[in-house]
Amino acid sequence: MKKKIYLIAPRGFCAGVTRAVDTVTLAIEKYGAPVYVKHEIVHNKHVIDELEQKGAIFIEDLNDVPINRPIIFSAHGVSKKIINEANQKKGITIDATCPLVTKVHIQALKFYNRGYQIVLIGHKNHPEVEGTMGQVPEGAIVLVEDINDVDRLKINNNKIAYITQTTLSVDDTIKIIEKLKTKFPYIECSPKEDICYATTNRQNAVKKFASICDAFIIVGSSNSSNSNRLVEVAKNSGCLKSDLIEDSTKLNINDYKHFNSIGVSSGASVPDILVMDVIKKLKTNHEYDLEEKTLEDENVTFRIPSSLR
Ligand code: SF4
């Protein structure tokens, strides 16, 4: 029996990543190089390298931005403090925050203005979490990362609402929400799901097709939240081996030679060429049939910031 590679979809660039990468490219075209980007525009090393070659400079500290050069905020969003600091430099600021992250920011502000204590489910130190917490004054949002954090939570406010990071594990988040609802039966939530469509679709696809795969390879960078979650989903769905790899150069094909069926997918910030390179490399030492498996088609697009249209 010939071995199989299942190429899973949806995978790769989501609408928010496409918009963010296009925003940097168009800003370089419009304003000339260099343009400065607060934090990596998206969490993928290859995307960053390519944009650096075009003239983007990625910084963490706004003091590293010279006067009068454009500053772009990454897809993960930034706090109000960062926006104010950037505006004080009196240069051009361009917001490449994914609209689905902005939606969570707006919801946080609405809850805050109505007197709610907000619980944010997310990963500490992730830039999206820092940006969301920074939409409201300190203390207005309390972060929970897991069920144990919910156990420790003490809230003296009978108005409580939760919001979440957009790129979390759907299954883990459901468990945390259940725990929150048990502890605070009156807790409220965003009218619309905060975990984004791209995260949900990629996890659902990996979960569905993991049942026919012995091993799973997720292409993505180690700092990509949604890519890491896909590795966990494959593992939790019964795959004997499930790995995150940056690109084909990090792939040891011998690690996979004993498996009859290998699933391949990628995180939301991964150019598809990297996935194809991985498949090409897998096929160099062993014969595989390649079969594409698609859970559903995506047709979401976001308009680029108005100043660049
Ligand atoms: S993963 Fe989701 S939240 Fe992040 S950029 Fe893509 S669509 Fe937006």
Side-chain angles (χ1 to χ4, degrees), residues 73-79 95-98 101 105 127-128 130-132 135:
F73 304 136
S74 80
H76 315 97
V78 293
S79 65
D95 190 2
T97 305
C98 175
V101 174
H105 289 182
E128 182 187 325
E130 289 175 354
T132 300
Q135 299 305 305

Side-chain angles (χ1 to χ4, degrees), residues 66-126:
I67 300 289
N68 291 333
R69 289 312 304 164
I71 302 174
I72 302 173
F73 304 136
S74 80
H76 315 97
V78 293
S79 65
K80 287 239 185 298
K81 183 169 170 269
I82 296 290
I83 294 172
N84 292 339
E85 272 177 35
N87 286 339
Q88 274 165 20
K89 293 185 88 78
K90 302 202 186 338
I92 299 142
T93 57
I94 302 164
D95 190 2
T97 305
C98 175
L100 299 181
V101 174
T102 303
K103 175 187 90 67
V104 179
H105 289 182
I106 293 168
Q107 191 58 49
L109 208 51
K110 277 186 189 164
F111 281 135
Y112 171 72
N113 287 335
R114 284 164 24 208
Y116 282 76
Q117 170 64 57
I118 304 163
V119 177
L120 170 62
I121 306 170
H123 299 293
K124 198 176 176 185
N125 298 330
H126 189 280

Side-chain angles (χ1 to χ4, degrees), residues 252-264:
N252 181 357
I253 37 180
N254 288 328
D255 287 353
Y256 298 90
K257 67 181 178 196
H258 302 299
F259 297 112
N260 288 323
S261 54
I262 304 169
V264 180

Side-chain angles (χ1 to χ4, degrees), residues 119 121 143-155 175-184 187:
V119 177
I121 306 170
L143 180 68
V144 302
E145 294 192 271
D146 54 33
I147 283 180
N148 296 331
D149 283 347
V150 178
D151 283 333
R152 287 189 282 268
L153 213 52
K154 288 195 176 70
I155 296 178
K175 287 181 200 144
I176 297 172
I177 292 170
E178 274 169 8
K179 187 92 184 181
L180 278 169
K181 285 181 173 169
T182 308
K183 188 160 177 174
F184 308 106
I187 195 166

Side-chain angles (χ1 to χ4, degrees), residues 14 16-17 98 100-101 166-167 196-199 268:
C14 59
V17 166
C98 175
L100 299 181
V101 174
T166 56
T167 51
C196 75
Y197 82 94
T199 298

